[in-house]
Amino acid sequence: MPKGESQIATEAPGVHAIQDDGERMIPDFHHDAVVYAEHMVRYIFASRFVRGKRVLDVASGVGYGSNLLKAAGADQIVGIDYSEQAVRYGAARHAGAGPDYVLADAECLPLADAQFDIIVSFETIEHVPDPQRFLCEVKRVLRPDGLFIVSTPNRGIFVEGNPFHLHEFTFAELEGALNASFSHVATYTQDDWITSAILARSTMEQADTELDGRLETYKAVGKPAAETLYMVSLCSDALLPQAEEHAVMTGLYEMKGYLEEVGRLNSLVARLETDLAEQRELAAQGEIAVQERVTLQAQATRFRRELRVRQGELEGALRRLSDIESSVGWRALNRLRPIIRKFAPRGSLRYRLLLKMARTGMAAIRMRPLRTAVGRVTAPLRTLTRRRAVAGQEAGRPRVRRLRVGCYGEHCWSVGGGTVHALQLIIPLAPYYDVDLLLPPGTPLRDAEWYRENLRIDIGDVRVRHYSPGVEDTYDVWLSVWNERIWPARTPKRFNMVFFPFVSLDGSGYTHIANSQYTAGYLKERYNTQDIVVIPPCIEPGEFETGPKEPMILHVSRFSLPSAYADKAHVMMIQAFKQLCERGLKGWRLVLAGATIDEGEEIYAAHLAKHAHGFPVEFALNLPAAQLRNLFTRASVYWHATGFSVKQPAAQEHFGITILEAMASGAVPVVYNSGGPPEIITSGQQGYLFDSLDELVDRTWSVAADPRLWKRLSQAARERARYFSPARVRSQMLSAVSKTEKASIIIGTHNNLSVLKRALESVLENTPPGYELIVVDNGSGDGTAVYLASLDYPHLRVIRNRNNHSFAAFNNQGQRISTRPYILYLNDDIEAFPGWIEPLIETLDAHPKVGAVGSRLLYPDGRVQHDGKMFHKSDLTPYHINMGGRPVADESPIEVDALTGACMLVRRELAGFDTAYRRGYYEDTDLCIRIKENGYALVLHRGSVLIHHHGVTMGRNQAATEEAQKRNRGIFLKRWAQKLPGLVYLASDQEMAGTEIRCRPVLAPEDREERWPLSQRLEG
C-alpha cells in the first residue's frame, strides 16, 4: 500500500492461535450474523437458570454473553478465554460492573475444584483437541449438583465441515459423549424460527401462537429435525431443572412497564372488539345505529395503532440504551462509579452535595444562568430598539424576513453517511430560507470548518446551534432527522427524514423523506402513511478521479461487529476472493477499507486479517478522506454485500452511497441484490447484482478476465453516477418544501422594461426554482424582447404579440400554454419578498374547498394597497379595505369575497378571465364571483407580502381609465347584481371605513377552525 495508509498485516498482533497439526483459531466474533444471533439466543436460554448462582463462561470472548448472564441475576460470573486481547477488552469494558476474566485455554482450567454452580460452554467443544479431557476439566470445577450447558453445531447440516472444528457431532454422538460424563443429559434442538421470532421482537401473543405449533420439536427426546443447525444440552449429576422453551421466550419480555402498557392496550382492544361483536349482532336485529358501529371501529383502530406506536417507542428506547452503553462516556463512568459510590453512598449528604455540584457544573457549561441574566438586562433595550426601527420605517420600505427552516439532527454532529445526506438536503434551502441545524444539547457544537475537514461539505449559510426546548415551534418549516423518533413541532409544514424505519411510529401530519424506494416501501407499512418523498443521496461526480486503474477490488464500510441487525459480510467477501485466487486470478488484491470506533471493532478487524492469511488481502483502517478517495481512484472493481447473511429488512443496504462513489471513480460495481442498490444499478449495464457467493465469484471473474467488458461497464457506471448529482437533490428538496413546481406564473407587459426587470428579478431571487414562468410581451418596442431572450431560467416561456392585448386576453393566452395545476396571475408592477409564493401554494394544497388565494399588497412606503375587499351595500361596488392605512398586525389567512388580479393563485379548473371586460378592471372580481358561485372559497393570505407599484401596468391615461371602469362596472352589475346578495357580504358605510374584513363564508366552521399555514414575518 502507498506510504501513509493504515494496514493490518495478515499476521495480526494480539490474535492468539493454538498450533496442533495445523493452525486453528476459536473466533470470538461470529462472522455470520445468523450464527451470532443463535449464539445470543443460547445465552438467553442459559439466563433462565443463573439467578443467584456462581457461573463460569468458557470461551467468553469480550464478554457480551457473560454480561447478559450478569444482568439476569447471576451472583458471580467468571469468563475464561484464550485471547489476551479479548480478555483485556472485556475486563476494561465491564470494569467494576460485570464479569471477572481469566486468560487460559479451555482444556486446562486454572481454577479451584467444585466452585461453580453453572458452567456454560457455547461452540467450544468442537474446537478442543480432546473433548473428554475438556469434560473432565468441566466436572472438576463444577459442583456435584451443578448444571453444565453446552452447545455445538449439527454435523448433519455442516456437511462441508469447518476448518476450525477439530470434532463435529451428530445428535447421537453428542449425547453419547455427554452421557459418558454426566448422569442426566437433555439435548434440545434449535431451528431458525426461534431466532427470527426473537430478532423481530414479536409480541407475546404471536410468540405463544407459534410456540403452540412447535413445542413438540423442542422435546428432549428423539432425533432432531433435518433443518436443525444447533443442539443445546443440559447436563448434571443431579436431577435436571424443568426447562421449557416457552420460558426462554417469555424471559425476553420481562420488562414491567412494557408489559403493563401492552396489557392495558390489549385489554382495551379486546374489550372494544367484544363490544363490536355484540353491536354487530344487535345491528343485525335492527337495534343499533350504523354511526355507533363506525365509532367503535374507529376506536378499535386507534387503539391498535397506539399499541404499535408504544411497541415502536420501546424498540427505539432499547436501541438508544444500547448506544449509550457502548459509548466512551458510559464506559468511563462505569470505571468511576465504584469509586464514587465508596466516597458518597446513595442518599448520603456527600451524595446530595456531589449531585448538586454536577448539575450546577452542567448549567455553567451550557451558560444558562448567564444567558438568562443577559436576556433580562437587555430586554428593555431590545424593545426600545424595535420600537425605534418601526418608527423609522413608517416612511420607508416594508421589510419581510425570510421563512425559517429548523432541522433537528440527532446524529448530525458525527461523521457518517447519515450526516452527509441530511446536510445535502438542508444546504440547498439556504439561498431562499434562514436555515438552522440544531444539535442535541451536550454534543460538540460543530462549525463550518469541521464539516469541511471531516465530511468535505461546505454548509454555506446554514447556522449550527444547540437545540433548546420549545425552539421547534418558532420555525416556519421543520425537519426531524432521527430514525427512532419523530421530533414534534407545531408548524403545519413538517418533514421527517428517514434512513430506515427501524420501529413503528405514527407518521401522520408529516411529509417523510426517504433515501430510496426500498426505504419508502417500509415507511408506508410501519408509519401508516402515504405522504412520502424519495430523495436519494447525491455525490459530485467531478470530485472523483478515474485512474489509472490497478488490479484491485475495493470494499468500504465500517468494521462493525456482525449482529442480528447488521452485517457487512466481510468474511463472505474474503471467502469469495479466496475462491477467485484458487480459480486462477493472478495479480489482483482485495482491499477492505473502513473505520473502527472502539477496541472491539479493532479486534474484529484483526480476526478478519487472520482469516485472510496467505492471500493478497489488505486492511485499510481509519483513512483520511483524501486517501480513501485515492483508493476509489485506483480500484477497478467495487464489492458491496451488506445484508448478505442477515435477512432482516433493516440490515440491508438502504441506498449505497459508497457504491455511487466507486461508480463515479470508474470502478465496476458487483453488489448484493437487495435493498437500495438495485435502484442504482441495472445488472449487466452499469455493473452486476449477485444473489449468491458463486454469482459474486463468477461476475467478478468475467469482469477481471475481459478488459473490453470492464471498459464498457466502467463508462456506463460513471454515466449513471452523474444522475445522482447535487443539482438533482437541490431541485427535489426545494420542490418538496416550496412546491413551486405546481405553479405557472403568468406576467403580461407592454413597454414597461424597467418595471418588468424589477418584478422578474425579485421573483427569480425570492422564489425557489421549479415554477413555470410565462411572460406575454404585448408588442413592446423598448428592448423587452432582447431582455427576455437573455434570461437563463429553464422553465421560462415567452409569448410575443404584435399588438397590446387586453388584460383578460393575454392572461388567457398564457394560461393556454401553461402546464401546471395552479395558475398564478401576476402584474409586471409588483415586487416580491422572500417567502411570498409558499403560503399561497400551501393554502390550496391544504384546503380543497379553497378555489383561489391572494397576497397582501403594500405600497412602496409600507401602506396597504390590498388587504382584502368588501362590497358596498348601496352600489354593490367592491372596495379595498384599509387602503392607504397601516397593515393590521394579524397575518393569519382570512376568507374574503373578492381578491385582486395583481397577485392571485387559482386552481386550473377554475381559472380564466372573461374577455368582455377591457383595460384590467372587474375581470378579477368577475372571476372571484364565478369561483364563489361554484362553491369554492376565496382566501387572502396576509403572510404572503408583495409591493404593488399601483397603476403602472395600466398606464396613466386617467380619462381612459375612468371610461373603462364605468363600462366594465356596467357589464359586471348586469351579470351579477341579482346574485350578489346571496354570494357576498354587503357592508355599511361604517364597516367600509374600518379595517375588519367581513364576507359571506363558503367554508364550514370545522374547515375554518383547521390550522392554516401561518408565519409572522412583516416587520413593523
Side-chain angles (χ1 to χ4, degrees), residues 5 453 456 623-633:
E5 295 192 15
E453 289 182 358
R456 300 176 68 92
L623 295 182
Q627 292 186 26
L628 190 60
R629 289 282 178 91
N630 183 260
L631 282 180
F632 279 118
T633 299

Side-chain angles (χ1 to χ4, degrees), residues 156-186:
I157 293 298
F158 295 96
V159 292
E160 298 180 0
N162 188 313
F164 299 133
H165 292 179
L166 301 183
H167 299 275
E168 293 179 337
F169 301 88
T170 63
F171 187 88
E173 290 169 348
L174 177 64
E175 286 211 323
L178 296 176
N179 280 321
S181 299
F182 293 91
S183 302
H184 302 279
V185 176

Side-chain angles (χ1 to χ4, degrees), residues 8-10 12 15 25 27 29-32 555 557-562 567-575 578 592 596 601-614 617-619 621:
I8 294 180
T10 53
V15 181
M25 179 180 70
F29 298 90
H30 296 268
H31 54 79
D32 189 313
H555 169 75
S557 68
R558 177 180 155 190
F559 285 92
S560 54
L561 278 68
D567 181 15
K568 305 299 184 181
H570 290 102
V571 169
M572 187 278 291
M573 288 185 283
I574 292 174
Q575 186 63 31
K578 287 181 178 180
L592 301 178
T596 58
E601 294 186 355
E602 292 174 2
I603 296 173
Y604 174 60
H607 278 299
L608 291 175
K610 194 70 176 179
H611 187 64
H613 176 65
V617 180
E618 298 174 5
F619 292 77
L621 306 185

Side-chain angles (χ1 to χ4, degrees), residues 392-516:
Q393 188 186 344
E394 290 292 326
R397 288 170 53 84
R399 292 179 297 179
V400 178
R401 70 165 178 83
R402 301 206 300 180
L403 291 170
R404 300 183 65 218
V405 177
C407 173
Y408 178 82
E410 176 69 14
H411 302 288
C412 288
W413 54 272
S414 60
V415 176
T419 300
V420 172
H421 189 27
L423 292 173
Q424 287 173 347
L425 295 186
I426 64 174
I427 289 173
L429 303 178
Y432 302 97
Y433 306 94
D434 290 337
V435 182
D436 290 347
L437 174 61
L438 305 173
L439 305 181
T443 60
L445 193 61
R446 307 302 192 186
D447 57 14
E449 185 63 27
W450 186 90
Y451 288 106
R452 273 194 296 269
E453 289 182 358
N454 292 275
L455 299 176
R456 300 176 68 92
I457 286 184
D458 183 0
I459 63 173
D461 294 329
V462 175
R463 294 171 296 187
V464 184
R465 302 178 176 180
H466 274 138
Y467 167 83
S468 58
V471 71
E472 60 271 18
D473 297 333
T474 66
Y475 292 97
D476 303 293
V477 181
W478 180 250
L479 175 61
S480 172
V481 184
W482 191 3
N483 267 323
E484 285 82 8
R485 182 180 174 187
I486 302 175
W487 202 271
R490 292 183 182 178
T491 174
K493 206 174 186 67
R494 295 173 295 182
F495 296 85
N496 176 50
M497 180 180 172
V498 187
F499 302 110
F500 192 83
F502 293 102
V503 297
S504 296
L505 298 173
D506 185 356
S508 59
Y510 287 80
T511 298
H512 302 276
I513 302 174
N515 50 22
S516 63

Side-chain angles (χ1 to χ4, degrees), residues 67 194 267 290 320 364 426 449 498 513 574 629 646 806 854 908 977 1005 1015:
N67 213 40
I194 189 169
S267 298
V290 174
R320 291 194 294 276
I426 64 174
E449 185 63 27
V498 187
I513 302 174
I574 292 174
R629 289 282 178 91
V646 182
S806 68
R908 168 177 285 279
S1015 58

Side-chain angles (χ1 to χ4, degrees), residues 260-280:
E260 290 175 354
E261 185 71 9
V262 171
R264 182 183 69 83
L265 293 173
N266 281 336
S267 298
L268 287 172
V269 172
R271 187 164 65 249
L272 285 170
E273 290 179 340
T274 301
D275 293 343
L276 185 60
E278 294 175 356
Q279 297 296 351
R280 283 174 177 167

Side-chain angles (χ1 to χ4, degrees), residues 551 553 575-589 615-616 697-698 700-702 704-705:
I553 301 171
Q575 186 63 31
F577 187 71
K578 287 181 178 180
Q579 292 189 20
L580 283 169
C581 293
E582 291 167 356
R583 182 182 288 193
L585 188 67
K586 302 294 184 181
W588 283 71
R589 58 195 172 106
F615 292 87
V697 172
D698 291 340
T700 306
W701 177 267
S702 62

Side-chain angles (χ1 to χ4, degrees), residues 26-72:
I26 306 175
D28 296 315
F29 298 90
H30 296 268
H31 54 79
D32 189 313
V34 174
V35 174
Y36 179 82
E38 296 277 357
H39 197 63
M40 291 300 101
V41 168
R42 291 190 282 282
Y43 271 104
I44 294 170
F45 179 88
S47 69
R48 310 306 303 151
F49 311 108
V50 302
R51 184 173 298 278
K53 306 291 187 182
R54 181 175 168 84
V55 182
L56 173 65
D57 184 6
V58 180
S60 59
V62 296
Y64 288 112
S66 300
N67 213 40
L68 275 176
L69 301 181
K70 184 70 174 178

